Every structure is written in C-alpha cells, then in structure tokens.
Amino acid sequence: MARSEEPLLSRDRPSSDISSDRNVEEEDALLTGQHKPQGPKYGWPFWREVGVFFWALIATAAVIIIAVMYQHQQSSGPKSTGGWKGGKPSGKRNMIFMVSDGMGPTSLSLTRSFRQSESGLPFGDVLVLDRHLIGSSRTRSTSSLITDSAAGATAFSCGYKSYNGAIAVLPDHSPCGTVLEAAKKAGYMTGLVVTTRITDATPACFAAHVNERDEEDRIAEQEIGEYPLGRVVDLMLGGGRCHFLPQTTPGSCRDDEKNVIDMAKKNGFSYVDDRTGFDGLKLGSAVKLPLLGLFASTDIPYEIDRRNMDSVYPSLDEMARTALKALSEATRDSEQGFFLMIEGSRIDHAGHGNDPAAQVHEVLAYDKAFASVLDFLDRDTTPGVVVGTSDHETGGLATARQLHPSYPEYLWYPGVLANVTHSGEYLAYQLRDYLAGQDSKNDEDIKSFIRRKLLEEGLGVTDATDEEVNSLFDNSDPWPSSYIFADIVSRRAQTGWSTHGHSAVDVNIYASHPKHARSLIGNHENTEVGNFIRDYLDLDLEPITKELIEKGVLYDTVSEDGSKQSWMGEPKSHETTLEQLDHYHGDFKRSLECGCVH
C-alpha cells in the first residue's frame, strides 16, 4: 500500500518524552484505579510570557494616551507651528510685524494699572501683550545712542543700522533693500497700516528711500510706485492725505502741484478717504487691491479723542482686521502668503506730549489690535506669526513723580487718568478755536472757559490753580498749550517724564508664541528683528539693493541750475559722528545761558 493510502492513524507520528510519560501515567491509573496527582498545568515560562504580554499592552496604551494628551495640548495652545518645520520656516506662511512706536516697558505698567483701576480688575489681570513678551531690543542708531523712528525702522526693514533721519538708506546714503520690497518680489502680498501719516518714518522705511525723513512729499510718490522698483505695496491704510494732494487744493501740505492720488489711481490703486468709504470695505471682504486709504489730512486723532468721533475715523483695530482679511483673501489660492506691517503710531506722540491719558488709550488700542492679529492667526488656514516691538521709548516715562523737596510717598494715581475725556492736543485746538472766534475777548470769560470747559470737563480737574489757568491764558511759556494740559494731569496722577523726546531705554519684543520666534528670545539689537523677518519669509535683500542702485540713476533729476539731484533727495550738509554725539560738550551750561532749561 502506498504511503499516501495508509490510514491516517497508522502513520508514524513524532513523540516526545512528555507525551510518553503521560501515556505511562494514564496506563498506571487504569490498572490500579488510582489517579496520580498532577503538578501545575502552566509553568513559569508560560506565566512569564503572559506578564510580558500585559506589560507590552499597558505600555502601548500609555503611549497612545500620552500622544492624545499632547495633541490636545497642541490644539488648545497655538493653533499651528507658525510655519516652522524642523527648525526652518516651511511652506506657505504669513508674517505680521507690529510696531508700537515710542512704547517702552513703563508704558505697559502705566496702562496695566490704569485698566485695572478703571475696570475694577484684580492686580493679577494683565494685558494681552504681557502674555506674549519674549525679549527686549537695544535701539541705538549709528549717529546717536538715542535713535529716532527713521533709523529704528530702517533697522527693522533693512536689517542695518543707520543715522537718525534715514529712510531705508545707509550711512553712506546708498539705498538698502527692504523686507517688504523683497517680499513683494518673492510673490508675497504686502500691506502697511498706521494711525499717523502713511508717509511718516516707520511706514516709509518699508516702501521708500530718502536721505531725510521730512521729505514726505517724495515718500508719498515712492509709496504708490513712482520709484525704481515700481509698485510694491498692495494695501495702505492710515492718515497723511495732505501729502497726496496738489498744493493749490484745500487740505494740501505739498510743495508742488502733483496730484499723487491721481498718480496712484493710474498705477491701479482703488482709493477711499472717509469713514463711509472705509465701511464699504466691509472689514476686508469687499476690498479691491491695490488699495490706498487715507482717512485724515495728517494724523488720525488719538484714540481718547477718536472714540468720540467714531463716525469719522476708523480705529487701528478696524484697519488691522480689514488688512488681514483683504490680504488673506487675496492670497487664498497663491503659493505665497503676505507680509503686513501694523503700527500703533501715536503712542509715540503721546510720549512726546507727555500726555499720560492719551498714552494709556493708545496702548490699549494697540493691545486690542494685537489680540485681533492673534485671533486671525488662530483661525486662518495658513500658518503665520506675529512679532511686535518698538523702535524706541518716548518721553522717559516713570510711574512716579516727586512733587516736593521732601522725601516722596510711594504713590501714583491711575484714577486721575480715568477722569480725562480728551487729550491735551484736542484741548489745545479747542482753546485755539475759542480764542480765534472771539471778536472782543473778555479776560474773565476766557479764563472761565479754560477752567470750566477745558479743565473740568476735558480733564476732570476741579482744583485747578489760578497759576495753571493763567499759564494757559497767557501762553507765554515756550511749550505749547497741549503740554500744559498734559502736565496738569501728570502732576495729579504723579506720573513723571524726563523728556519730550526719545530715550535710550531697551524696548520689549513680543511674539504670537516663543517657539514662533526663538531667535528673538532674550536681549537683541534691533537689526536682529529685521533679520528675523527676512529669514522667516526666506528673502534675499541683496538683489533688491542692487536693483535700487542700478535703476536709481534713471530717476535722478536735474535742477534749474543744472545740478544733479538724487531720486532720494539731498542728505544733510552737516554730518556728525557717534563719537561726537556720545560725549558731553557742556550742553547743560549752554542751556542755562540761553534760558531754555525746563
């Protein structure tokens, strides 16, 4: 019989010692009728394998739980990585750069305490900005230890130090390519949002190149594309309409007859210039780019005043949200995102005016805009980051003031600021208009107007001295009346100021999340902020600089006397070095001799 045909049970089967022993034990049990007790059915090797299995099961479950918890933490924290992958920016991304012009660390202390006092909040309540502080910036320029906004913004836009007054030009008066210009050339959409003139130093440094910041007529032309690179800005919102209107037009502050608004329209810009036009933009959902929006002849009023004129002027927050929406929609289907610079411009002006009430409302308006940017980043499908800092501090602000020779009490009174309804600037205009409207000026009527209408109603000051009223009535002090109004408040609030100019204090750096701007954690030169923007957007500024230099000669002009004039305007004729400016030269003695110490 073939093997394949053998019965299954007749085949030889492998055996083992264990199976043989078991068979013998079974036969003994059948013959004797006694069952032999057996040992444990499963030995140590079996239970060891069971233990290993359950340990592996528990470990796997733990890993899954940790992963789920980590994912939840990530989703409940920053929505995205901010466009970073493997330590480098990657993919489509947006960059929002915010400038709090003139805001120093004390501005935050002042505003935080004011907000807590006015709203009855606990001392642990903080501003949105406070929760996003990551570092600080050193601000000196090449010409002074105390920078101005032009040199400060050039550090942000070009990544280089320059002299005070320089608008994106270097100390040798050559142009430097900016991050906004490079971003536009790389395919990004671009925007500028400010509350001062759009031709002011900070916005100008991103889209213009002039040797001196006061050439705002020239800046206006360059911003709308009349310069070597053509149009590089897709959206501009702010004030400064007077620099775009021909000289003979009411409301103009130009020195020539150029109609820059018409020039902008020829370059493709849509244009709006009032609240109705702004409302028609529907917070960005009805914007036609490129867009030029100029909502004030010069600067948009301080927020403390603007809030009472909301039907006339848009707020910083509204303009910021409009720009974010418009640029996001415009880049929805593109490979690149956008670069947007937003400036809380008039924090600086409040510092120059030593006006603490105007200052806190400007900082709060900026804080609100910062919060809106964070909200946008959380909701938008494109990764992005926001980095914010100041170009410098203004006013030498202190939340303390010694009013008498005796040792001071450790006090300042934020409640005094809550009583103020208008800025010193606004009240100064009110006083000017009142005096201009009086044909026969009665001294007592004027003093009564100052005391009742301006001081009591405008500042909430009911204990004004005759000396304070007379200082506004006579106005013989070299300071403008707006300074006097501000000082009346500052003394009562016990807020101190060391200057009507800038200071050299380090300023704060903020970011949407520390991991979004790791290279800015800690203390840095202001140029490093500009380098961060360049690196995050993966930009090369050198080709932009080269193009500006090569094409710039085509934009030079010839004056009536036959001399050549640079397209960037003429530099100052008197240059000083940092070494000269950083050494004492008897200025205090000279100021005593001229009687100009205050």
Side-chain angles (χ1 to χ4, degrees):
M1 180 183 292
R3 180 174 179 83
S4 59
E5 297 176 354
E6 294 179 0
L8 182 61
L9 295 179
S10 69
R11 294 180 184 177
D12 294 335
R13 290 179 297 169
S15 183
S16 67
D17 294 339
I18 296 175
S19 61
S20 297
D21 292 343
R22 183 168 60 246
N23 292 337
V24 172
E25 291 173 356
E26 291 175 351
E27 291 174 359
D28 289 344
L30 289 172
L31 293 173
T32 61
Q34 296 179 350
H35 180 71
K36 184 176 180 180
Q38 296 182 354
K41 187 175 182 179
Y42 303 105
W44 162 246
F46 172 83
W47 291 113
R48 181 179 61 186
E49 291 180 6
V50 171
V52 170
F53 171 79
F54 279 104
W55 181 89
L57 185 64
I58 294 171
T60 302
V63 169
I64 294 173
I65 292 171
I66 292 173
V68 171
M69 292 177 64
Y70 177 80
Q71 181 66 29
H72 175 73
Q73 182 181 14
Q74 293 298 301
S75 64
S76 61
K79 184 178 180 180
S80 71
T81 62
W84 293 94
K85 186 177 181 180
K88 295 181 179 180
S90 176
K92 182 179 178 181
R93 54 199 180 276
N94 300 322
M95 172 78 216
I96 300 102
F97 178 52
M98 298 188 68
V99 179
S100 44
D101 197 321
M103 186 180 80
T106 310
S107 299
L108 275 294
S109 300
L110 184 85
T111 305
R112 188 186 311 116
S113 295
F114 166 78
R115 180 170 173 271
Q116 292 169 358
S117 174
E118 183 185 43
S119 302
L121 300 171
F123 64 80
D125 185 88
V126 297
L127 303 173
V128 174
L129 287 166
D130 290 320
R131 298 194 291 270
H132 293 270
L133 175 66
I134 65 167
S136 61
S137 167
R138 306 186 293 274
T139 62
R140 68 180 295 168
S141 69
T142 62
S143 61
S144 177
L145 287 172
I146 300 178
T147 189
D148 79 330
S149 294
T154 295
F156 301 148
S157 65
C158 293
Y160 290 107
K161 297 274 189 180
S162 195
Y163 59 90
N164 286 359
I167 300 295
V169 299
L170 301 179
D172 64 357
H173 301 293
S174 64
C176 53
T178 74
V179 291
L180 184 144
E181 292 168 333
K184 183 61 179 176
K185 294 291 185 178
Y188 290 87
M189 299 293 279
T190 62
L192 300 170
V193 173
V194 301
T195 52
T196 184
R197 306 172 308 286
I198 199 69
T199 52
D200 202 11
T202 302
C205 281
F206 288 86
H209 303 269
V210 299
N211 285 305
E212 296 301 331
R213 61 176 293 175
D214 56 2
E215 292 209 47
E216 294 190 46
D217 291 355
R218 189 185 301 270
I219 291 169
E221 297 172 43
Q222 293 189 19
E223 287 180 332
I224 57 97
E226 297 297 314
Y227 85 131
L229 300 183
R231 182 182 64 78
V232 295
V233 191
D234 295 300
L235 178 147
M236 288 183 281
L237 301 176
R241 188 168 56 242
C242 71
H243 288 289
F244 290 76
L245 298 172
Q247 185 179 31
T248 54
T249 302
S252 172
C253 56
R254 286 189 66 87
D255 290 331
D256 58 35
E257 283 301 311
K258 291 183 179 179
N259 189 325
V260 184
I261 292 174
D262 283 350
M263 294 165 62
K265 291 178 180 178
K266 290 179 182 178
N267 287 347
F269 280 92
S270 55
Y271 175 65
V272 291
D273 63 358
D274 56 20
R275 182 73 204 212
T276 301
F278 178 80
D279 290 342
L281 302 176
K282 300 187 184 302
L283 290 178
S285 62
V287 168
K288 179 180 178 296
L289 296 177
L291 170 66
L292 174 64
L294 303 173
F295 306 110
S297 178
T298 55
D299 304 322
I300 292 175
Y302 284 122
E303 180 62 20
I304 192 174
D305 305 316
R306 190 212 64 82
R307 60 183 180 172
N308 299 312
M309 297 180 279
D310 188 62
S311 61
V312 181
Y313 304 101
S315 68
L316 175 64
D317 180 61
E318 289 175 303
M319 291 191 292
R321 287 189 287 139
T322 296
L324 291 166
K325 176 70 172 179
L327 294 174
S328 178
E329 289 292 329
T331 57
R332 180 184 299 277
D333 299 321
S334 65
E335 293 184 1
Q336 302 285 32
F338 64 80
F339 169 74
L340 173 63
M341 192 283 292
I342 302 171
E343 183 188 36
S345 318
R346 303 212 65 194
I347 302 172
D348 173 62
H349 292 185
H352 281 297
N354 289 182
D355 191 331
Q359 172 111 150
V360 296
H361 286 281
E362 288 302 305
V363 174
L364 286 173
Y366 179 80
D367 192 64
K368 183 178 181 180
F370 192 90
S372 290
V373 171
L374 293 174
D375 181 63
F376 167 82
L377 290 174
D378 188 56
R379 291 182 292 102
D380 196 53
T381 56
T382 300
V385 303
V386 57
V387 167
T389 190
S390 303
D391 44 2
H392 53 76
E393 191 272 349
T394 304
L397 173 63
T399 48
R401 183 161 182 163
Q402 184 162 341
L403 300 175
H404 310 288
S406 58
Y407 193 81
E409 295 183 84
Y410 296 161
L411 296 169
W412 88 272
Y413 302 104
V416 172
L417 308 185
N419 297 327
V420 179
T421 57
H422 287 293
S423 67
E425 177 184 87
Y426 177 90
L427 296 175
Y429 286 134
Q430 292 291 301
L431 177 58
R432 182 200 64 183
D433 293 346
Y434 177 80
L435 294 176
Q438 298 296 306
D439 294 330
S440 57
K441 299 180 180 63
N442 180 286
D443 291 356
E444 292 306 314
D445 288 345
I446 295 173
K447 291 181 180 180
S448 178
F449 176 80
I450 292 172
R451 185 181 296 275
R452 307 301 177 198
K453 186 69 176 178
L454 302 182
L455 296 180
E456 293 185 6
E457 293 185 21
L459 300 183
V461 173
T462 59
D463 61 347
T465 65
D466 291 338
E467 182 181 2
E468 289 172 325
V469 173
N470 289 334
S471 68
L472 291 164
F473 172 74
D474 296 331
N475 204 20
S476 57
D477 194 290
W479 303 120
S481 57
S482 61
Y483 286 13
I484 300 173
F485 283 117
D487 187 59
I488 289 173
V489 174
S490 291
R491 291 176 64 85
R492 285 162 175 78
Q494 289 189 201
T495 55
W497 306 86
S498 61
T499 178
H500 281 285
H502 300 171
S503 76
V505 70
D506 290 358
V507 294
N508 293 342
I509 299 175
Y510 303 92
S512 43
H513 193 277
K515 71 178 184 181
H516 293 171
R518 294 184 191 277
S519 62
L520 294 179
I521 296 173
N523 184 258
H524 301 273
E525 284 293 340
N526 53 7
T527 52
E528 294 178 68
V529 177
N531 292 338
F532 172 84
I533 300 172
R534 177 200 64 196
D535 294 342
Y536 178 75
L537 295 178
D538 193 21
L539 304 174
D540 187 357
L541 274 57
E542 289 306 314
I544 306 300
T545 298
K546 183 178 180 181
E547 185 176 354
L548 287 166
I549 293 173
E550 291 178 349
K551 293 183 177 180
V553 295
L554 303 176
Y555 286 79
D556 291 340
T557 57
V558 179
S559 63
E560 294 180 357
D561 61 5
S563 61
K564 184 179 179 180
Q565 291 186 332
S566 169
W567 64 278
M568 297 182 294
E570 297 306 311
K572 284 183 178 178
S573 57
H574 300 291
E575 295 291 341
T576 55
T577 65
L578 185 58
E579 182 179 358
Q580 290 173 309
L581 288 168
D582 287 354
H583 286 75
Y584 177 65
H585 299 285
D587 300 74
F588 180 71
K589 184 177 180 180
R590 288 200 298 272
S591 64
L592 285 176
E593 292 170 351
C594 76
C596 49
V597 172
H598 293 276

